[in-house]
Amino acid sequence: MNELTHFAENQLVSVLTTQPIDRLLDYKAPEGGCFLGAFVEVPLGPRRVIGVVWGAGKGDYDIVKIRAVHRVLDVAPMGADMREFLIRAGEYTITPMATMLRLATRAPGLGDPLSMRKIYRIGEGVPDRETPARKKVIQALADYGELAFTLRELAEMAGVSSSVVKGLVAQGVVDEEDSPRDLPYGKLDYTLKGKELSKDQANAVDKLKEGLQSKVYGTTLLKGVTGSGKTEVYLEAVAECIKNGRQALVLLPEIALTSQFLDRVRERFGAMPAEWHSGVTQTERRRCWRMVGQGNAELIVGARSALFLPFRDLGLIVVDEEHDTSYKQEDGVLYNARDMSVLRAAIGGAQVVLSSATPSLESWANVEAGKYQRLDLTSRFGTAVLPSMNAIDMRAENLPSNRWISEKLQSEINTRIGKGEQSLLFINRRGFAPITLCRACGHQIGCDQCDARMVEHRFQRRLMCHQCGETKAIPETCPDCGAEDKLAAVGPGVERLGEEAVALFPDARIAVLSSDLFGSARAMKAQIETLAKGEADIIIGTQLVAKGHNFPLLTLVGVIDADLGLQGSDLRAAERTFQLMRQVSGRAGRAEKQGAAFLQTYQPEHPVIRAVLSGDEEGFWAAEANARKSTGVPPYGRLAGIVLSSPDENEIHMLGNDMARRTGPLAAIGAQVYGPAPAPIARVRGRHRLRLLVKCEKNRPLQAALQKWVAQFNVPKSTRLSIDIDPQSFY
Ligand code: ADP
Ligand code: ZN
């Protein structure tokens, strides 16, 4: 069976639906028959649901009861690659196929008939009278040759009312036609000249082109500091891919970064790519999904879920900032878009480019193992040089307990202000203060629904739970002992640092950047752009500013608490801290000016801090790799996290203990089970949470064993059991 397999009317087909049924359903092919992979609407009980023709019918169901496919939807059938991808991704993440199909059909109005609209273009007729308004319309259409426009577009372009256009239609001067509402995306002109490449860049581009021309699978780690020209390199790979007639996908970790990237695409190819992320309108989503399926979108720029678009012929996937944790989907289907990109490419004979200044240990290890090719861009583009790295030993600074900016850092900032340069203060904590404490009784204000402290957000005058998003007013008295005026904010957040900066630098222009301070990604982008132009002397920000934005005037980065990420038991704590510190530091000195980074730390001797300061990356990775090897954890062993959650604490304890006792199927593959233990956040949204961790050697059939293991237990209705393969977060 292949793409062209056709089932004649009344032949039995099996259909995968988006409904939670754990098997395929048999139907009769509709009038006119249907192709393998066709999107269809089928009757299910009293309803009609969407599905995909998955193969020939099995005929194991009473033939008289079998109903017919209601209709074939007006969208391109799902290709064989995509079906295989859904199956393998589903097996890997232990996700039912119906759920996988939902992931692949997340566009509105798929079942709707193809909607049409009127478009207008130049006709043959001659007008009876030539008024100035009519002339404008004719001129506008003449300027654009064969192109057609909607009534509104045309009227706007000509600067006339739509009745003028309608009048010309009546006389045949302008033709009115029906056209599908979802228009193809503009052609990208890959023949336009890109930038003159440096030697490193040209070499990298050549290697990537070779891979693309071979049309077989391959993954490349493209490594280079921020500003070394990685984007420029993978844009050339995109050009090659389009030239070969295949589609390209660029995944970005943050929607806030897309617009910068879109500008560069337009500059390079003279047209805009298709976009797929949460900031895109429903209409555009539908258009994108359909056009990708028809092969009428050459380049798609998107968030992780773009990987599940119905590509006709995907030749290249770029994962920008491949180390970014946001590629892991943390609810619903728990997949890692970076890893699934590699799977998707392997199935379809595509190339993957993993781009990063600070690659994940996973990718580093895959290069070491010879599975990925590695290309390095060794210097920053143009004259910009890497910032100098310095530690500020906070033990010697003796700051009072409600201050966080050391004198050393303060004087460095003053020097920059004097020179008209910008400084960035980085702290990875939103809000004003992480703890609100009663000084009379010691009570800390927590969330009613979660085992988490409420974080004060002073701009919003509320306390907020960062687990569930619940907010409440800041109380006047202690909710526990009732004492008045005893509540104190403890510890710094980005807002509080803003306050300190205002006090220390009264004449400076200070801006606080935190994702929760903006209504929309657009507003945030606008703000970042004005800041980058020099609207602030000091920028105070969270993780947000560590990512990709370009601040040409920025020459100083101060990390308020370099030790923050080193606390906690996360197996990637060292890796994350190392990456984050290097990313943030990399913000300094992107243009011609030399930059400097200062890390405030209480443990300057810590190996991670020392590695950040010395810039000895290879040394750091080798040490980190050894540490992980010796404990058999990823990427040198396999992990799965199991979270049991329920409003009933007893219920999950019984189940958890039972699971820890009856581990037969896991023991059979040599896997160990740890726990159950209360999750680090033992209650979220009123549900108690218990964790188990399963560890085994690489190349063992972990998923199959997990499924057998879990199948032994009766999971009560109110309990949720989730399995997270390769967990990234351990909360
Ligand atoms: P990265 O993706 O590694 O951060 P970019 O590709 O964004 O780096 O390049 C950094 C800056 O240098 C950008 O402004 C880019 O336009 C410029 N640049 C990169 N390569 C070239 C080149 N070959 N010629 C001219 N400018 C370049
Ligand atoms: Zn909460």
Side-chain angles (χ1 to χ4, degrees):
M1 267 195 285
N2 62 35
E3 306 286 80
L4 300 176
T5 305
H6 188 263
F7 300 97
E9 183 173 348
N10 282 330
Q11 226 180 315
L12 285 189
V13 294
S14 70
V15 173
L16 171 67
T17 72
T18 52
Q19 302 305 300
I21 308 165
D22 58 2
R23 66 201 153 85
L24 301 174
L25 302 174
D26 274 8
Y27 289 93
K28 289 176 194 147
E31 197 185 326
C34 58
F35 282 100
L36 179 63
F39 283 87
V40 291
E41 198 173 55
V42 294
L44 185 68
R47 292 183 304 148
R48 286 192 186 136
V49 302
I50 288 191
V52 170
V53 175
W54 211 253
K58 290 193 291 295
D60 56 357
Y61 190 66
D62 185 357
I63 189 78
V64 293
K65 287 194 194 148
I66 290 185
R67 299 204 265 175
V69 167
H70 176 64
R71 66 188 178 99
V72 177
L73 303 185
D74 209 346
V75 296
M78 185 185 281
D81 282 7
M82 186 64 185
R83 294 198 301 278
E84 191 182 341
F85 175 53
L86 291 183
I87 292 171
R88 304 234 325 244
E91 282 170 357
Y92 192 86
T93 55
I94 316 190
T95 306
M97 281 311 292
T99 312
M100 294 309 294
L101 183 58
R102 275 207 295 280
L103 208 54
T105 51
R106 288 211 323 216
L110 282 191
D112 297 352
L114 208 56
S115 73
M116 305 294 276
R117 62 173 174 180
K118 302 263 185 256
I119 55 162
Y120 300 81
R121 67 172 90 234
I122 196 86
E124 309 265 282
V126 183
D128 55 0
R129 265 180 317 114
E130 285 231 340
T131 65
R134 285 180 168 185
K135 271 192 192 154
K136 281 194 217 160
V137 175
I138 295 165
Q139 188 57 48
L141 285 173
D143 285 349
Y144 285 92
E146 284 300 287
L147 288 183
F149 301 91
T150 63
L151 185 57
R152 217 178 65 209
E153 284 167 353
L154 181 53
E156 251 169 42
M157 230 163 52
V160 302
S161 75
S162 53
S163 60
V164 178
V165 178
K166 285 285 190 184
L168 288 169
V169 170
Q171 299 186 6
V173 181
V174 173
D175 281 348
E176 183 184 77
E177 299 161 22
D178 285 318
S179 141
R181 188 170 290 280
D182 298 321
L183 296 177
Y185 291 88
K187 282 265 172 214
L188 301 190
D189 186 354
Y190 58 81
T191 64
L192 290 179
K193 233 178 108 49
K195 299 207 164 85
E196 202 64 51
L197 299 178
S198 71
K199 216 170 110 229
D200 269 1
Q201 284 178 316
N203 170 53
V205 168
D206 284 347
K207 290 272 170 47
L208 292 177
K209 278 188 178 171
E210 254 170 54
L212 287 159
Q213 283 157 4
S214 74
K215 303 207 174 173
V216 297
Y217 158 75
T219 295
T220 302
L221 175 63
L222 178 61
K223 186 177 172 311
V225 294
T226 313
S228 59
K230 299 185 293 299
T231 309
E232 217 57 52
V233 166
Y234 70 66
L235 280 174
E236 292 313 303
V238 168
E240 178 68 24
C241 177
I242 296 171
K243 182 175 163 200
N244 295 336
R246 304 183 82 187
Q247 292 169 299
L249 168 64
V250 173
L251 297 178
L252 299 175
E254 289 265 329
I255 341 172
L257 296 181
T258 9
S259 66
Q260 280 188 7
F261 181 68
L262 295 179
D263 291 344
R264 290 184 67 172
V265 171
R266 192 172 38 201
E267 201 182 305
R268 175 65 183 81
F269 298 110
M272 292 297 260
E275 273 182 81
W276 179 271
H277 51 75
S278 59
V280 166
T281 64
Q282 293 289 67
T283 321
E284 265 306 297
R285 265 180 107 78
R286 184 190 60 198
R287 175 184 178 211
C288 180
W289 196 93
R290 283 179 185 254
M291 291 306 131
V292 169
Q294 292 172 13
N296 282 324
E298 296 168 303
L299 170 62
I300 294 84
V301 176
R304 58 182 179 231
S305 61
L307 203 50
F308 291 91
L309 285 169
F311 293 95
R312 276 297 90 199
D313 185 11
L314 183 58
L316 171 69
I317 307 173
V318 175
V319 185
D320 196 17
E321 311 281 355
E322 66 94 27
H323 60 277
D324 198 287
T325 51
S326 70
Y327 283 120
K328 179 69 185 276
Q329 164 116 346
E330 293 289 3
D331 50 33
V333 183
L334 308 175
Y335 68 93
N336 187 323
R338 178 195 63 214
D339 301 345
M340 291 301 120
S341 293
V342 171
L343 174 63
R344 181 86 169 84
I347 292 170
Q351 292 283 316
V352 179
V353 174
L354 305 176
S355 170
S356 176
T358 52
S360 60
L361 184 61
E362 271 81 1
S363 297
W364 189 87
N366 278 325
V367 169
E368 290 286 292
K371 290 185 191 160
Y372 297 173
Q373 159 180 239
R374 171 169 163 176
L375 298 172
D376 280 67
L377 301 182
T378 45
S379 59
R380 283 196 163 184
F381 198 79
T383 48
V385 285
L386 283 174
S388 72
M389 303 293 296
N390 313 275
I392 297 176
D393 187 343
M394 295 300 278
R395 293 169 303 193
E397 284 282 331
N398 268 323
L399 277 186
S401 68
N402 57 351
R403 290 216 12 225
W404 293 275
I405 300 172
S406 63
E407 271 175 28
K408 168 80 178 142
L409 189 52
Q410 189 184 342
S411 80
E412 293 289 342
I413 294 171
N414 276 324
T415 311
R416 298 312 183 287
I417 296 176
K419 290 197 279 186
E421 297 171 2
Q422 288 181 323
S423 301
L424 167 72
L425 295 182
F426 173 80
I427 181 154
N428 208 10
R429 254 197 201 139
R430 291 180 289 138
F432 182 80
I435 302 172
T436 303
L437 177 86
C438 172
R439 270 192 304 231
C441 74
H443 176 74
Q444 300 183 2
I445 299 186
C447 174
D448 300 333
Q449 296 298 311
C450 311
D451 274 356
R453 297 186 190 113
M454 296 291 265
V455 177
E456 180 180 346
H457 285 245
R458 198 158 279 190
F459 290 159
Q460 291 160 17
R461 300 169 168 278
R462 310 274 301 168
L463 294 170
M464 186 192 290
C465 170
H466 285 183
Q467 292 308 318
C468 70
E470 190 63 35
T471 67
K472 55 186 170 196
I474 302 168
E476 310 256 309
T477 58
C478 172
D480 207 42
C481 74
E484 273 178 56
D485 295 330
K486 287 289 179 195
L487 290 175
V490 180
V494 67
E495 297 175 10
R496 191 172 206 178
L497 211 59
E499 241 182 50
E500 187 181 352
V502 169
L504 290 180
F505 312 98
D507 300 326
R509 295 164 303 163
I510 295 168
V512 175
L513 274 183
S514 173
S515 56
D516 58 321
L517 300 178
F518 297 95
S520 65
R522 208 175 291 276
M524 186 167 85
K525 185 201 158 223
Q527 168 79 349
I528 289 176
E529 270 171 14
T530 49
L531 293 180
K533 291 205 185 89
E535 287 284 288
D537 303 308
I538 303 174
I539 300 163
I540 300 176
T542 56
Q543 182 118 7
L544 185 72
V545 292
K547 295 185 179 174
H549 304 287
N550 189 1
F551 295 95
L553 301 175
L554 190 78
T555 56
L556 174 93
V557 168
V559 176
I560 295 302
D561 186 354
D563 310 330
L564 190 60
L566 292 173
Q567 301 144 8
S569 54
D570 191 324
L571 83 94
R572 294 186 180 82
E575 175 180 355
R576 297 255 162 84
T577 303
F578 183 72
Q579 288 164 337
L580 190 56
M581 290 304 111
R582 286 185 64 92
Q583 295 261 321
V584 179
S585 308
R587 302 286 108 216
R590 282 202 63 170
E592 280 73 42
K593 300 187 180 82
Q594 161 83 43
F598 289 86
L599 313 187
Q600 295 193 151
T601 172
Y602 284 91
Q603 34 186 341
E605 300 307 317
H606 193 289
V608 175
I609 302 290
R610 280 171 53 173
V612 173
L613 291 172
S614 70
D616 177 14
E617 268 184 293
E618 301 299 321
F620 172 78
W621 289 122
E624 183 64 13
N626 278 335
R628 303 247 194 117
K629 267 180 206 153
S630 69
T631 46
V633 294
Y636 305 100
R638 304 196 60 190
L639 279 187
I642 286 92
V643 174
L644 306 175
S645 72
S646 164
D648 180 348
E649 201 174 352
N650 222 354
E651 204 176 271
I652 51 171
H653 275 289
M654 303 236 298
L655 177 60
N657 289 332
D658 205 14
M659 289 177 78
R661 265 193 305 271
R662 293 158 58 195
T663 59
L666 291 173
I669 62 159
Q672 289 142 315
V673 179
Y674 301 92
I681 298 172
R683 197 169 53 113
V684 173
R685 292 190 177 88
R687 297 177 72 91
H688 298 274
R689 303 168 77 246
L690 215 54
R691 270 190 154 276
L692 293 104
L693 199 60
V694 177
K695 187 170 104 175
C696 74
E697 282 172 31
K698 281 195 99 153
N699 303 321
R700 295 292 169 96
L702 178 60
Q703 280 86 344
L706 285 167
Q707 275 172 298
K708 270 195 227 154
W709 175 52
V710 168
Q712 303 176 103
F713 309 101
N714 278 324
V715 180
K717 269 220 145 41
S718 52
T719 292
R720 217 177 293 146
L721 185 158
S722 79
I723 302 180
D724 185 359
I725 305 289
D726 310 328
Q728 291 282 323
S729 115
F730 296 83
Y731 82 91

